[in-house]
């Protein structure tokens, strides 16, 4: 029994994108998960995303994660944040304005940050500078005629688009009561930024936040810590106000070698059909002909970009005799030699994983999944027919609590089985990886498996495991032909960092005892427990897990259904080569 993982198990060791933003005062290299950028450059392989400020004015560390003052808790996003009691709100806003004019703009921290993000403070304006908030005496004497209260919104907008709208920064600018005075404006402008970024590219978004003639935005950063509620509100209002054209998002790591190199998502997948039992158990995209043609053009443009700009370096690295071994390449180790492994893709082809069957169909001239007739210039070396079935699991179905502790606890195993070895250790041990790799036809390097949390089940019975046809070498044994040191598991499952259940296996001698059910449930329970790899401490949002099972693998599909999995859609792993 074997379940295909998503192939994104090693993203932390894959190349990230570095965004270089320049200003007259400093240069920032920022590597977020998603970005709005004008000049992305790839990191070297194996580096992890980072935030670094190479030069900071006045010697202060002004990175978005750095405290300026004692931070206050950021308020939650209200569903209708644009509705406020004006009579109650305006005095608080005036107090924030007073703090900004009398104190905030005169502090070195605020002055240095304002210079860094290229926006003048009221006291720095050449025309009618505002040094401070006018006193009641000045207003009574008639001097208020020369006073023009500056709008705080322009400063809030600049802080948001540069990623500096942290509670500590807002407190430094607008005082301790900033949440009551400008909190609603911050929420409004954060959603406005999402709208603006979605409606256009980097150039139009930057232009919308430039202040002419010489206070242009020096750089843009993704919305800082965007909440699910903000994204939901922005998406719902966007759909109500304007139609959207289809878009693609892709993760590319050709150096993954025999493991998944490309993962693609299309916005059309949100409206795709669920597979229906019958002759063709395949999900399709529901969209207009124009939208489907746009998405097909986007797919071909992506493949062309990868072939032109990314493939040459990869091919050069595997052809060079002086280059180091490719990461995640099984190489010549014994466990990679058994004949049951899925073959490696040709050097100039791409292994695309977790690809929605509706997207794959667009690579065929007919738009049909079952009958492959690739578009001109496209060669499909292989794809899954029948496809994999995507099962979805809700976290609330797997988080259990025992009566003695608030921590989640595993469900009891049948008699004679345990989750720990005889020494009380949990998880996969180093001497077990070769055996595990033998029992799957999915190429995964030892390096990959060591990065994935795993769950194992051991037996108290003294059953001698029998060799299997896939054991075509001595990889499951230690040098000298002796059995490997240490106890070996009889069932195991791994957790992919993208929320997938990967490499589920039960040894044939132990099948029929619901061990697949137990090891799968325990793996998902651990991943979705608070503090697990799929759920941060304190996270309250719904947590989901998915698994990919070949449509013809009835036994594994029954396990997924017994676990409570809902069928979402179908997907495939395909190897394609593009000649245009």
């Amino acid at each position: 029994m074997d379940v295909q993982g998503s192939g994104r198990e090693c993203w932390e060791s894959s190349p990230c994108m570095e965004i270089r933003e320049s200003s007259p005062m400093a240069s920032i290299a920022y590597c977020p998960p998603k970005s709005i950028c004008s000049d992305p450059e790839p990191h070297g392989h194996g580096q992890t995303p980072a935030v670094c400020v190479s030069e900071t004015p006045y010697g202060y560390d002004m990175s978005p994660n750095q405290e300026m003052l004692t931070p206050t808790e950021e308020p939650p996003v209200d569903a209708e944040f644009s509705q406020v009691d004006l009579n109650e709100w305006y005095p608080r806003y005036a107090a924030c304005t007073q703090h900004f004019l009398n104190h905030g703009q005169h502090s070195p921290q605020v002055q240095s940050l304002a210079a860094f993000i290229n926006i003048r403070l009221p006291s720095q304006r050449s025309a009618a500078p505002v040094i401070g908030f006018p006193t009641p005496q000045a207003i009574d004497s008639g001097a208020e005629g020369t006073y023009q209260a500056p709008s705080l919104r322009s400063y809030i907008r600049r802080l948001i688009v540069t990623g500096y709208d942290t509670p500590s920064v807002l407190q430094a600018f607008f005082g301790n009561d900033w949440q009551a005075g400008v909190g609603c404006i911050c929420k409004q402008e954060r959603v406005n930024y999402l709208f603006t970024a979605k409606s256009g590219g980097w150039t139009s978004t930057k232009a919308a936040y430039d202040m002419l003639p010489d206070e242009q935005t020096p750089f843009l950063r993704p919305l800082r810590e965007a909440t699910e509620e903000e994204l939901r509100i922005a998406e719902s209002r966007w759909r109500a106000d304007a139609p959207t054209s289809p878009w693609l998002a892709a993760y590319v790591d050709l150096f993954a070698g025999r493991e998944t190199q490309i993962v693609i998502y299309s916005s059309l997948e949100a409206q795709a059909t669920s597979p229906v039992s019958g002759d063709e158990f395949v999900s399709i995209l529901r969209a207009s002909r124009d939208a489907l043609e746009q998405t097909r053009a986007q797919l071909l443009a992506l493949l062309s970009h990868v072939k032109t700009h990314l493939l040459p370096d990869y091919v050069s690295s595997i052809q060079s005799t002086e280059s180091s071994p490719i990461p995640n390449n099984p190489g010549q180790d014994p466990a990679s030699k058994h004949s049951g492994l899925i073959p490696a893709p040709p050097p100039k082809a791409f292994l695309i994983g977790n690809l929605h069957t509706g997207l794959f169909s667009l690579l065929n001239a007919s738009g049909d999944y079952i009958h492959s007739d690739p578009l001109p210039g496209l060669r499909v070396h292989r794809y899954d027919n029948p496809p994999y079935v995507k099962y979805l699991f809700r976290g609330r179905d797997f988080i259990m609590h025992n009566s003695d502790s608030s921590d989640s606890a595993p469900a009891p195993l049948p008699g004679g089985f345990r989750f720990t070895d005889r020494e009380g250790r949990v998880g996969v041990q180093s001497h077990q990886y070769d055996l595990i790799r033998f029992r799957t036809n999915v190429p995964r390097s030892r390096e990959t498996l060591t990065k994935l949390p795993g769950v194992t089940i051991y037996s108290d019975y003294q059953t001698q495991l029998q060799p299997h046809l896939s054991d075509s070498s001595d990889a499951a044994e230690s040098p000298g032909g002796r059995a490997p040191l240490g106890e070996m598991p009889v069932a195991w499952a791994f957790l992919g960092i993208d929320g997938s259940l990967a490499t589920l296996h039960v040894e044939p001698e132990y099948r029929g005892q619901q061990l697949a059910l137990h090891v799968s449930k325990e793996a998902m329970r651990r991943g979705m427990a608070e503090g697990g790899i799929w759920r941060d401490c304190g996270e309250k949002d719904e947590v989901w897990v998915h698994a990919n099972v070949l449509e013809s693998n009835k036994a594994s599909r029954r396990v997924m259904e017994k676990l409570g999995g809902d069928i979402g859609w179908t997907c495939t792993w395909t190897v394609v080569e593009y000649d245009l």
Side-chain angles (χ1 to χ4, degrees), residues 171-361:
Q171 181 181 345
F173 269 72
F174 308 117
N176 294 334
D177 201 26
W178 69 268
Q179 296 184 34
V182 299
C184 60
I185 298 177
C186 292
K187 296 173 186 178
Q188 294 167 3
E189 290 300 333
R190 283 171 63 87
V191 172
N192 288 343
Y193 185 35
L194 287 174
F195 274 125
T196 306
K198 188 168 184 176
S199 63
W202 183 90
T203 302
S204 60
T205 301
K206 183 179 182 301
Y209 286 90
D210 285 343
M211 297 169 58
L212 301 178
D214 58 356
E215 293 179 82
Q216 289 84 359
T217 305
F219 54 86
L220 299 178
R221 282 179 173 151
L223 187 66
R224 185 190 63 84
E225 297 181 2
T227 65
E228 291 291 338
E229 185 69 8
E230 285 176 321
L231 295 174
R232 184 192 64 78
I233 293 173
E235 182 67 19
S236 62
R237 295 186 178 181
W238 175 267
R239 288 179 179 177
D241 294 342
T244 59
S245 59
W247 51 266
L248 287 182
Y251 184 88
V252 180
D253 180 12
L254 297 185
F255 286 84
R258 297 182 69 169
E259 300 179 22
T260 300
Q261 296 173 303
I262 302 177
V263 178
I264 304 173
Y265 174 81
S266 169
S267 58
L268 295 186
E269 295 183 36
Q271 285 79 42
T273 65
S274 297
V276 179
S277 298
D279 295 336
E280 296 186 1
F281 193 80
V282 175
S283 297
I284 61 174
L285 301 178
R286 293 185 298 182
S288 66
R289 180 180 296 273
D290 288 344
L292 293 175
E293 288 298 331
Q294 289 182 53
T295 303
R296 173 178 283 167
Q298 291 169 350
L299 282 170
L300 296 178
L302 171 64
L303 295 179
S304 177
H305 175 83
V306 173
K307 177 181 176 65
T308 303
H309 299 285
L310 304 181
L311 184 63
D313 287 343
Y314 172 66
V315 173
S316 176
S317 69
I318 62 178
Q319 290 177 344
S320 173
T321 57
E322 299 178 358
S323 63
S324 58
I326 301 171
N328 298 328
N329 188 347
Q332 299 302 317
D333 63 296
S336 68
K337 294 180 180 179
H338 75 76
S339 59
L341 279 179
I342 296 174
K348 295 185 179 181
F350 316 129
L351 174 55
I352 306 175
N354 245 321
L355 184 66
H356 194 286
T357 50
L359 285 181
F360 178 85
S361 299

Side-chain angles (χ1 to χ4, degrees), residues 288-567:
S288 66
R289 180 180 296 273
D290 288 344
L292 293 175
E293 288 298 331
Q294 289 182 53
T295 303
R296 173 178 283 167
Q298 291 169 350
L299 282 170
L300 296 178
L302 171 64
L303 295 179
S304 177
H305 175 83
V306 173
K307 177 181 176 65
T308 303
H309 299 285
L310 304 181
L311 184 63
D313 287 343
Y314 172 66
V315 173
S316 176
S317 69
I318 62 178
Q319 290 177 344
S320 173
T321 57
E322 299 178 358
S323 63
S324 58
I326 301 171
N328 298 328
N329 188 347
Q332 299 302 317
D333 63 296
S336 68
K337 294 180 180 179
H338 75 76
S339 59
L341 279 179
I342 296 174
K348 295 185 179 181
F350 316 129
L351 174 55
I352 306 175
N354 245 321
L355 184 66
H356 194 286
T357 50
L359 285 181
F360 178 85
S361 299
L362 295 179
L363 299 179
N364 288 328
S366 64
D368 180 66
Y369 181 83
I370 301 298
H371 306 96
S372 179
D373 55 337
L375 295 169
L378 192 67
R379 181 181 179 187
V380 177
H381 291 270
R382 61 178 170 87
Y383 74 106
D384 300 301
N385 187 15
Y388 281 86
V389 181
K390 178 79 70 176
Y391 284 92
L392 305 176
F393 304 88
R394 287 181 172 85
R396 63 171 179 262
D397 298 331
F398 294 89
I399 305 302
M400 299 170 294
H401 302 275
N402 59 28
S403 58
D404 299 326
S405 171
S406 60
D407 296 329
S408 54
L413 286 170
F417 296 98
R418 46 194 158 77
F419 285 118
T420 62
D421 65 7
R422 297 188 187 279
E423 298 181 15
R425 297 175 299 185
V426 297
V428 181
Q429 307 304 313
S430 60
H431 66 275
Q432 300 165 353
Y433 286 114
D434 283 345
L435 172 66
I436 290 170
R437 292 171 62 201
F438 254 111
R439 298 300 195 252
T440 177
N441 66 345
V442 179
R444 288 193 178 94
S445 67
R446 185 184 182 92
E447 178 187 5
T448 293
L449 289 178
T450 58
K451 295 177 180 179
L452 304 182
V455 175
T456 51
I457 292 179
Y458 299 88
S459 172
D460 291 332
Y461 303 110
Q462 300 298 319
T463 301
Q464 178 65 41
L465 297 183
Q466 299 299 317
H468 302 292
L469 294 178
S470 61
D471 300 348
S472 57
S473 77
D474 296 329
E477 298 183 357
S478 60
R482 297 187 301 273
L485 298 177
E487 188 178 8
M488 304 302 285
V490 299
W492 54 81
F494 285 83
L495 313 176
I497 62 173
D498 66 332
S500 65
L501 179 68
T503 314
L504 167 63
H505 178 83
V506 177
E507 293 284 43
E509 293 84 357
Y510 293 90
R511 293 175 185 173
Q513 303 182 64
Q514 296 191 332
L515 295 185
L517 195 69
H518 284 281
V519 74
S520 300
K521 195 165 188 175
E522 176 62 9
M524 289 190 278
R525 184 197 66 81
R526 292 186 187 182
M528 290 185 283
E530 188 169 354
I533 64 170
W534 298 328
R535 183 176 172 218
D536 294 332
C537 292
E539 182 179 349
K540 302 301 182 183
D541 295 330
E542 180 70 276
V543 182
W544 291 79
V545 173
H546 65 95
N548 306 299
V549 184
L550 198 63
E551 190 272 336
S552 58
N553 189 343
K554 305 300 182 183
S556 291
R557 289 186 58 191
R558 283 195 296 270
V559 172
M560 298 299 107
E561 290 162 5
K562 288 180 180 179
L563 285 168
D566 295 325
I567 294 178

